[in-house]
Amino acid sequence: MPAKYFILSGEPSQVAATRWGAMIEANLLTKYYKKIPVVSEASFSVGPGKITGFIGPNGSGKSTTMKMILGLIAPTSGSATINGRVYRDLEQPIKEVGALLEPSFLHPGITIFSHLLSIAIRYNIPSTRVGELLDLVSLSGKKKLRCGQASLGMKQRLGIAQALLGDPNIVILDEPMNGLDPDGIIWLRTYLRHLADEGKCIFISSHLMNEMALLIDEVIMIKEGKLIAGGSLPDLISGHSSAYIEVLTSDNAALTAALKAYSGQAIVASAVIDGDVFIKVRGISTKEVGNIALENDIAVYHLRQTLRSLEDIYLDLVNTEQKENIDAIK
Amino acid sequence: MTPSNDINGTVLEPVGQKAGLFDMSPNYKKRKLGLCVRNYLDCCRYEAYRIKVTRASYIALLCSLLSIIGLSILICTIYTVRANDLSPYQLITTDPVFLSLSGTFLAQLIIGVFAILSVTNEYGYGTIVTSALLEPIRTRFLLAKLIVVSSVIFLSTALALSVAFLVGEKILSARFQVVSILSLTALKSIAGSALYLTILSCICIGIAVSIRRTSGAVATLFGILLLLPIIVSLLPSPWAGEIGKYLPGSAGVVLAHSFQISNMMSPLKALAVLACYAILWMGLGIYFITHRDI
């Protein structure tokens, strides 16, 4: 295993990881299943104090990547490290990284409480912590229920409790919102934000784009095993948005003329949205548009900076790739 | 590295030290060994707790207990009732100790399935994911499971066999010459049978980890215990005996007897052969669990 030499050689990034907080790093992570690439050369890092979203279509290699980070699947080549070490080398793994992978991780004959307690016993965690976590995920009333009788949402809650049991600095959650009720989703969102504010590193995958847009700071997008986009969410959105301003006024023609007179960079077009004739402005701020309208005595009914949603960008990126692939085949 | 204080007076401990990255202390190896032992103990506690809170494990153990005692009562009663019909040769070759421990050969299937399920259930229910997250060193996970399951099986079968022996000898004492449970022969046979079941459970865990599916593993177990002796017995005469005596089932028969059976292995050799089977299967299991993805 090259992993041990990797630590001793003291790669700068690893020293940084141990000094500056929790981190996940993937370095040219690749997995082939019988010559079919599932993940190819994925390199990324997930830093502390942030929620990083891992987004991609079904079968794009999200879960495989997470399992490789957690040492469940051996990468064909490349490596994934947690705080500079591969999962195998962690002495008390669940105290460094907590994970929720799939909902079928429970023995149906064991009660919810016993399941958590068994893990607490393994890592010498006081049993009061189990109670606290059951309270946290609002399962304390159902702790005597056997896992086989628990609903999907309850299993997810239990999985989240299990991930947090060791109070780890890194939390990896694979589709944690599946089966959660709206209350649960809101709770999870606020709680994960709270954890990130404490400096923890949260790595979360989901296909609920609107939920993710509310939750994450950073985004890593994967498609067919290849990373197609990454970076902070605002950067991604502004980078992929043809941001424009929608304006609805009493005199569109006058405003158009005034805007063109004000700035040569302003690109103005008109558009019909829901029966109203709007003008779309680009290359100028909302404030400037408002001021110009005021100077020209034009009444403004609607003035809005449009940004594309994460979902739009996601669909765009995924489909562009597809188009490129089709072009390449042609 | 010593903890340093920052401006606010809070103690900063380098994360690396906590993670053991910069551990250069002279008794590092000693500490590492201690840590390893503690990890094994904790892992065993985890496995033991999970067996304790699962109802199915009680049912399996109760079934094996009942089969050990029940079959002993049945066989011993039949022999006692039909003692007059036995030829002098049969009377001499009848081993009262073996008769009262005959439940072993029914219990071996139940015990085997119990050991197999302790592993294949993990794969079936997906709890293997949790187990592998808790124990990144999978050999440790497997060996801890082996230690716990085989200890549970050894203790419970030793208890059941002792009870079966007492009951069986009580029934047989009407027509046969019996030995006390405190005699060396009796203790040797009881311990031997319990060890047979225990080592068999190790073989089963090896099979289960290699195959991962309950159906396949149970079929393999039944094949080894029930089909293989029949197939071997079909071979021409010197081969059938020579190969047949090294089968796991034959070793079990040897261990349950109070005297040396002609043309069979000695009890110690039988234990050694069983251990070889267990090591082979466990070796295969360890190879598979460390080389396959979860």
Side-chain angles (χ1 to χ4, degrees), chain A residues 223-299:
Chain A
K223 182 174 175 275
E224 285 167 6
K226 296 188 190 91
L227 301 189
I228 52 171
S232 84
L233 187 62
D235 285 357
L236 183 83
I237 287 178
S238 58
H240 284 86
S241 290
S242 43
Y244 58 87
I245 299 164
E246 270 176 16
V247 202
L248 180 61
T249 63
S250 53
D251 190 349
N252 285 349
L255 185 65
T256 306
L259 284 171
K260 279 185 174 162
Y262 173 76
S263 163
Q265 288 180 341
I267 303 162
V268 187
S270 66
V272 181
I273 301 169
D274 292 337
D276 287 321
V277 182
F278 283 78
I279 51 176
K280 284 176 157 185
V281 188
R282 207 187 289 178
I284 192 167
S285 75
T286 45
K287 210 169 164 184
E288 286 168 308
V289 174
N291 286 339
I292 292 162
L294 183 64
E295 280 164 21
N296 293 283
D297 289 330
I298 302 164

Side-chain angles (χ1 to χ4, degrees), chain B residues 106-146:
Chain B
L106 179 58
Q108 63 180 0
L109 299 178
I110 301 165
I111 291 287
V113 172
F114 171 66
I116 285 172
L117 283 178
S118 75
V119 174
T120 53
N121 267 351
E122 295 246 3
Y123 287 99
Y125 295 138
T127 50
I128 187 73
V129 171
T130 305
S131 299
L133 287 177
L134 294 177
E135 305 301 336
I137 296 165
R138 295 188 199 154
T139 314
R140 179 164 74 208
F141 156 71
L142 189 58
L143 291 182
K145 193 179 264 299
L146 182 82

